[in-house]
Amino acid sequence: MTTLRPTARRGKARVRAGRARLQLSLLPIVQCALAAGVSWFVATDIVGHAHPFFAPIAAVVSLGVSLGARMRRSAELVVGVTVGIGVGDLIISAIGSGPWQIALVVALAMSTAVFLDGGPIIAMQAGSSAVLVATLIPPGNSGGIDRMVDALTGGLVGIAIVALIPTHPVWRARKDAAKVLGTASEVLQKVADGLVANDPKPIEEALKKARATQSDIDALRTNLKGGREIARISPLYWGHRNRLAGLAKTADPIDNAIRNIRVLARRSLTLVRDDEILDPRVVDEVEKLAQATDVLRRMVLADPGRQPDAAEAARVLRAVAAGAKPELISNAGLSATVVLAQLRSIIVDFLQVAGLKRISALATLPPTVAKPDVTPELF
């Protein structure tokens, strides 16, 4: 009975994770399904091809379940097919078909595709198209040209489907950014808890959590790229270009902040293990930054005109910045110095997410030298 409960919990967790993945990918799946059916119809009933099997394949490959860089995938697909069929038709006509001929054609087609462009779809499609020419499509007939037309049809239909039935260009990227910021807030809070208790365990958990954020940051960049494509090709979302551009500016500062948080967590772990003395005000600053980061997370999720807005997020972060004074580490060890330095860097990163320029964000910090490069605000 005891062994069944963990198994049942794992099973439920997998079902929940599967449901979440399906919900997230439902629209791209619908888009792929519609594009496959419409491209077959266009290729058979309008273009007049009897068996345009590559049209729906091209539509599905060009769209995929991922929303990023679909137009590039479509272009890579058509170029790859053209290269594969061209090289395959030329070589097979001259040397015939067989095992070594197939190997040679695939190598030449993929090499040509890689030389032309480094995109993975070009090379893949060039190789598969060359195989089809060498095995199924007799060289010299119209099969090659028809296949290129089918690929073009599928790619164009895929783009049309994205324009007519688009996902919201901002929604996914906004959720990705909020997820990363939510993790950052949790990590900072765990670090603060570990510093207060002088216990390495919460900080170890925090560091593990911070290191696992790279896939979320990659997803943010991918969805920003996909959002820009949608905002370009879909008239329904032309009005969201400025908002998307503003969100795109947060990707680098969020990435930088997470990297700095990892360093802060590592050094905090060293500090606790070395039993180094730390001013309680530094711990308070870490905890305040965790709370301010959550305000930033809610700002990213908030619709235009709703609170908290960028001004509110900046106000909260400025309050944290004002407390990050160099006297907090007077007579402190190296680890405490690094923790405060990273804390200040994270504040600057997050103020940029809230809309400040880097120089303005740096000005919010109390000076650490007599003549700082950036003139600080008055405190």
Side-chain angles (χ1 to χ4, degrees), residues 188-189 191-196 264-265 267-268 271-272 276-290 320-321 323-344 346-347:
L188 290 167
Q189 186 59 57
V191 169
D193 293 343
L195 290 172
V196 167
L264 183 146
R267 185 51 67 170
S268 297
L271 188 150
V272 169
E276 185 177 320
I277 296 173
L278 183 68
D279 191 315
R281 291 177 294 174
V282 176
V283 183
D284 190 48
E285 279 290 292
V286 175
E287 191 159 19
K288 285 179 179 177
L289 182 57
V320 183
K325 299 175 181 179
E327 52 259 40
L328 299 184
I329 51 169
S330 298
N331 303 316
L334 177 62
S335 293
T337 303
V338 174
V339 166
L340 182 64
Q342 291 304 125
L343 187 78
R344 288 164 63 97
I346 296 162
I347 291 168

Side-chain angles (χ1 to χ4, degrees), residues 32-303:
C32 287
L34 285 173
V38 171
S39 61
W40 179 270
F41 167 77
V42 171
T44 53
D45 289 31
I46 297 177
V47 179
H49 291 174
H51 301 289
F53 65 92
F54 202 72
I57 292 174
V60 172
V61 171
S62 65
L63 292 180
V65 177
S66 168
L67 291 174
R70 286 172 156 190
M71 292 180 73
R72 178 175 174 84
R73 280 204 299 266
S74 298
E76 287 181 357
L77 188 73
V78 175
V79 172
V81 170
T82 304
V83 169
I85 290 174
V87 171
D89 194 51
L90 182 66
I91 301 299
I92 295 299
S93 296
I95 63 176
S97 184
W100 70 268
Q101 290 95 332
I102 293 173
L104 177 63
V105 164
V106 170
L108 289 173
M110 295 186 74
S111 298
T112 304
V114 169
F115 177 78
L116 292 173
D117 192 283
I121 293 180
I122 287 185
M124 179 184 70
Q125 289 302 322
S128 59
S129 299
V131 169
L132 285 171
V133 169
T135 57
L136 298 178
I137 303 174
N141 71 1
S142 63
I145 295 174
D146 288 351
R147 190 162 188 258
M148 284 186 271
V149 172
D150 291 341
L152 180 62
T153 300
L156 292 176
V157 168
I159 292 171
I161 291 294
V162 171
L164 295 172
I165 313 172
T167 186
H168 198 293
V170 178
W171 178 73
R172 283 190 177 224
R174 190 170 62 169
K175 284 193 69 176
D176 291 333
K179 184 179 179 182
V180 175
L181 290 170
T183 301
S185 178
E186 291 176 26
V187 167
L188 290 167
Q189 186 59 57
K190 282 182 178 292
V191 169
D193 293 343
L195 290 172
V196 167
N198 202 34
D199 181 4
K201 190 162 289 185
I203 304 176
E204 288 170 356
E205 294 174 5
L207 187 54
K208 185 177 179 181
K209 211 172 192 40
R211 284 170 172 164
T213 56
Q214 193 56 52
S215 60
D216 295 326
I217 293 169
D218 293 341
L220 168 62
R221 294 187 184 280
T222 297
N223 285 322
L224 281 169
K225 189 182 293 184
R228 284 194 292 269
E229 285 190 354
I230 292 168
R232 278 201 306 268
I233 66 177
S234 177
L236 296 173
Y237 290 120
W238 285 347
H240 289 78
R241 291 176 184 175
N242 289 338
R243 190 177 177 202
L244 189 64
L247 187 59
K249 290 179 182 177
T250 69
D252 284 343
I254 288 175
D255 193 354
N256 292 337
I258 289 294
R259 295 174 193 273
N260 285 322
I261 286 171
R262 290 173 190 150
V263 177
L264 183 146
R266 283 200 303 272
R267 185 51 67 170
S268 297
L269 190 58
T270 301
L271 188 150
V272 169
R273 286 173 175 168
D274 290 346
D275 201 23
E276 185 177 320
I277 296 173
L278 183 68
D279 191 315
R281 291 177 294 174
V282 176
V283 183
D284 190 48
E285 279 290 292
V286 175
E287 191 159 19
K288 285 179 179 177
L289 182 57
Q291 295 165 1
T293 305
D294 188 62
V295 175
L296 200 63
R297 177 191 68 82
R298 291 187 282 118
M299 178 210 80
V300 168
L301 288 174
D303 291 325

